[in-house]
Amino acid sequence: MAAKTNRLLALDGLRLLCALAVAFHHLGMAWSVDGVRPTTAYLPQEVNSTLIYGFLGVETFFMISGFVICMSGWDRTPRDFLASRAARLYPAFWACVLITTAVMTFLPLTDGVPLPHGLTATDIAVNLTMLAKPLNVPYVDTVYWTLWYELRFYALFAILVLIGPTRRRVIAIGAGWLVLSVLVPAEAPLAELVMPQFAPYFVAGITIYLVRRHGPAWPLWALLAAAWALSLFRVRERVLVANPGFPVPVWPAWLIITLAYIVLLAIALGVTDRWRWRWLAVAGAISYPLYLLHPRIGYTMIRYAYDRTGVPVPALIIAAVAILIVAAWLVHRLIERPAAPALRRWIATGSIRPSRPPTSDDRRPRQRVA
């Protein structure tokens, strides 16, 4: 059945692919299922050689974010922009933090997992603000680090919303951001704002949206080419620090990132405009809670199941991801769908109640008072 929506549903499908790539990467490579040997020891080498590149789902997420934030913020007031972003991020995040905290409390893991232990109630409360990193508080779950990047990007784009986005301004800001991301040292205080490691992905997404909105033009191609070239350099840095215990060639990462650019550009140019499958909207809706839920809860499910059943690790990883997909859908359906509109209205209007639809009396012409 076709979905009655004007949104770019292909972006929703791409979001889910990114979330799944990151989930399989973490569950297959980033911990020890038995607390002694790396989980890679339980998987075929061909699988390991593929899963290692799943971290690139984060880079692609940032590209999608640049595209979507530019698209959704273009004609909004600053307050509406703030309301839409808060409603998108916080309800599902609050739910996932609390669910993960419950799992961490009642089914604790200590050995072989790259997660903090012994978090206090204050730590949990700070995590709920998404400001754990600047407040130097340990994350409830490791993947929350990307949200601090997202918040900083939203703050930067909010300035553009405030002054009024135009094609020329966005191009100039994007070009300046890329230049600063090369010139500013990673250890400099300004790097907290510039985000050198991931700036090219946000700039690429913004630029591709301009292609969508204004059509192709040489300044956009030039900016996109610069972002792509810098992305390849940054990806090489990320691959070189990977240490999974086997060689990790750089060229597959370059290929994956290049394909991400091509796919997002194809979406912007209208190649997928006729896609109207409802399941794509569902895929986009569950991608965010799936991303938030998968590490600590996934590790816990796999460890406890492996200790008690001895089921092969590949099957446990697949089963864990399937369960997490269901959990993500429940978070979206039971929490995000009712809470997000209310939060958006509260920030935008000061009331959580929907605006009253006009009645026949409202539509009737009123007599002018002399």
Side-chain angles (χ1 to χ4, degrees):
M1 184 180 294
K4 296 179 180 179
T5 176
N6 293 323
R7 66 188 292 171
L8 297 174
L9 292 178
L11 286 177
D12 291 310
L14 187 58
R15 280 193 184 102
L16 182 59
L17 285 177
C18 292
L20 288 172
V22 175
F24 279 111
H25 169 79
H26 283 146
L27 299 182
M29 311 209 69
W31 70 305
S32 171
V33 71
D34 60 7
V36 179
R37 293 180 295 173
T39 304
T40 52
Y42 294 88
L43 302 176
Q45 183 55 43
E46 296 78 9
V47 173
N48 291 329
S49 298
T50 300
L51 294 186
I52 186 62
Y53 298 103
F55 72 87
L56 294 171
V58 170
E59 277 79 349
T60 308
F61 264 134
F62 288 154
M63 290 175 62
I64 296 170
S65 183
F67 186 105
V68 171
I69 298 311
C70 195
M71 178 172 62
S72 64
W74 195 274
D75 295 316
R76 292 183 186 268
T77 66
R79 185 170 180 174
D80 286 341
F81 177 73
L82 173 63
S84 69
R85 291 303 90 206
R88 176 69 182 110
L89 285 184
Y90 276 101
F93 178 71
W94 290 331
C96 291
V97 170
L98 295 177
I99 293 169
T100 303
T101 299
V103 171
M104 173 181 66
T105 302
F106 295 106
L107 298 171
L109 291 183
T110 55
D111 298 328
V113 291
L115 297 166
H117 311 296
L119 273 65
T120 67
T122 300
D123 295 332
I124 308 302
V126 172
N127 269 262
L128 291 170
T129 68
M130 288 193 192
L131 299 177
K133 171 66 174 180
L135 295 177
N136 199 30
V137 169
Y139 290 123
V140 169
D141 218 334
T142 53
V143 294
Y144 298 173
W145 69 268
T146 61
L147 300 178
W148 176 231
Y149 280 88
E150 289 284 353
L151 287 179
R152 285 178 284 174
F153 171 56
Y154 292 174
L156 290 171
F157 199 84
I159 297 172
L160 191 56
V161 171
L162 185 63
I163 64 177
T166 66
R167 177 176 173 271
R168 181 174 297 180
R169 286 174 182 169
V170 175
I171 291 174
I173 290 173
W177 193 1
L178 282 185
V179 171
L180 286 174
S181 73
V182 174
L183 297 180
V184 174
E187 64 277 6
L190 185 59
E192 281 295 307
L193 184 63
V194 174
M195 300 178 286
Q197 184 70 53
F198 299 105
Y201 307 107
F202 290 117
V203 173
I206 290 171
T207 306
I208 293 173
Y209 173 70
L210 292 180
V211 172
R212 171 80 179 184
R213 183 179 181 89
H214 298 287
W218 74 262
L220 297 178
W221 293 128
L223 184 57
L224 189 60
W228 171 74
L230 187 54
S231 296
L232 298 185
F233 178 75
R234 296 305 186 192
V235 162
R236 180 177 180 273
E237 293 178 334
R238 286 260 274 167
V239 170
L240 290 178
V241 300
N243 186 25
F246 55 85
V248 183
V250 176
W251 71 263
W254 285 341
L255 177 60
I256 292 168
I257 284 298
T258 301
L259 287 175
Y261 271 78
I262 292 171
V263 169
L264 199 57
L265 188 58
I267 294 172
L269 292 173
V271 174
T272 63
D273 280 2
R274 293 182 179 273
W275 292 13
R276 287 293 181 266
W277 303 305
R278 189 181 301 277
W279 67 267
L280 287 173
V282 177
I286 68 173
S287 60
Y288 180 49
L290 172 61
Y291 176 79
L292 295 173
L293 290 171
H294 79 266
R296 190 185 286 270
I297 297 176
Y299 298 153
T300 302
M301 287 193 294
I302 295 169
R303 169 72 64 79
Y304 277 78
Y306 180 77
D307 287 345
R308 287 156 178 77
T309 67
V311 171
V313 172
L316 291 176
I317 292 174
I318 293 172
V321 171
I323 294 170
L324 287 164
I325 288 173
V326 175
W329 181 83
L330 290 173
V331 168
H332 167 68
R333 185 65 181 83
L334 301 179
I335 298 171
E336 189 174 28
R337 279 184 61 175
L343 180 60
R344 182 184 299 111
R345 285 191 297 268
W346 179 69
I347 296 175
T349 67
S351 172
I352 63 172
R353 295 184 178 182
S355 58
R356 182 177 63 87
T359 64
S360 57
D361 289 339
D362 295 327
R363 299 188 186 98
R364 186 178 300 126
R366 298 180 183 275
Q367 292 184 346
R368 295 182 64 183
V369 179

